Amino acid sequence: MNAVAERSLNVNDLISQLKARLPVLWVNNSKRAAAEALKSIKYTFDDILDAQARLYRFAPLLAELFGELGSTGGLIESDLQPVPGLRDYLWDRHGVAFDGGTVLVKADHSLPVAGSVKARGGIYEVLKFAEMLALHNNLLCCSDNYIRLSRPECREFFSSYTVSVGSTGNLGLSIGIIAAALGFRTQVHMSFEAKEWKKHRLRQHGVTVIEHETDYTSAVTAARVNAEEDPFNYFVDDENSIDLFLGYAVAAIRLKHQLRELGIKVNAGNPLFVYLPCGIGGAPGGITFGLKHVFGDAVHCFFAEPVGSPSMLLGLATGRHAAVSVYDIGLDNRTEADGLAVSAPSGFVGEMLQPLLSGAYTFPEADMFEYLYAASEIEGLKLEPSATAAFAGPAWLLTSEAGISYLEKNRLSGGETKITHILWTTGGSFVPDDEFSEFMRRGAKGGLH
């Protein structure tokens, strides 16, 4: 690892590291005490609880629409999985010569319906839009069982509206699958990074896929312009949506219960470190926002980005947020982590997270495939490359100069055994077998083609 130490870090040093595509840990000196920071944000814990309540109202309908949700009563959730074998592999690989604490995987790669972290926010926003339409048009009362929305007359009504989104893949899957299931016409504008199998899966669900030979940011812009021309087109704005953000934040409440079920305490003496793959920033930002409400200063959140697409890190470190792009520093935004291939971050998320986030790091392209191979061989996990972005996180904190400095500053040195590390995965369970076999082949060869 080639960390830039916190005490010597300046923006010019950082940009030089990023331009050279060197992995770097950036520690956020703007982070404030959680209670103080959260008071400055207009959205509150009540907003997260409102989102959770809405998801519970829709649970019977979701169980009706998707057979795989029958056993959970319509709840879309993933396991929190102990991975002792993967922990030992990571410790050996990165030279952690001591007990660095517990490692768990938050398995959003296997979330039902859409198979990625995007199932949370994406499905939530479409459900909220459907609820608004149904209530305003007397198709539903708040006291009704929401299964009513599966009736033919409701589907016919929804079919007069289009739901659209710009995506590199996983958000498009979540939006497309739920919107089509409810009866909406659905358009997903896909950037050049999007995988063919994701386009194929969307088309199988009756979704119109509009392909672009441009990057994610341009695809989103095209989708937004297209929606503005049609009053019946509802555009899901991945860059600025509070509904996506709050849908993701609900995960924090559920994580609290899962940790309790595993007998894991989270407090000042038993800190929680969470590592989150980051593209535009909505999913990791929403999750971080929720975690800070639930655990306060006992949780430390870090974003993970590919060396070719460190847009959120760049936006946060420079303070320019959406006004700066990886292209501005000579990077190409090319990565196999299609969901993380974003040239400019969400300004909405970056500005909100500036006082909450502990830091961010970048990782080399080949590492994703080595981690993917190890996770499959050791723990039986089926991941896509971007889902391994979190895996380098614990080693950054435990072995790098910047990480050790962070632990010292937060009075955590000497208590590493009490840290719980959560590796948050993103997608993978729907990856076709032939594609996954190719990932595994590359992983076995050290990430090489």
Side-chain angles (χ1 to χ4, degrees), residues 162-169 172 186-192 194 199 202 207-212 215-216 218-227 233 235:
T162 297
V163 174
S164 62
V165 67
S167 175
T168 61
T186 310
Q187 295 177 352
V188 178
H189 292 251
M190 304 286 263
S191 60
F192 72 78
K199 300 173 189 176
L202 282 168
V207 175
T208 299
V209 175
I210 301 171
E211 300 182 64
H212 296 267
D215 71 1
Y216 165 83
S218 298
V220 170
T221 300
R224 182 183 291 112
V225 170
N226 185 66
N233 188 323
F235 173 61

Side-chain angles (χ1 to χ4, degrees), residues 272-283:
L272 183 66
F273 278 68
V274 182
Y275 311 95
L276 297 148
C278 181
I280 193 70

Side-chain angles (χ1 to χ4, degrees), residues 3-8 25 396 399-406 408:
V4 175
E6 177 190 2
R7 59 179 172 270
S8 64
L25 171 63
W396 272 119
T399 66
S400 74
E401 189 177 356
I404 292 168
S405 175
Y406 179 87
E408 290 173 349

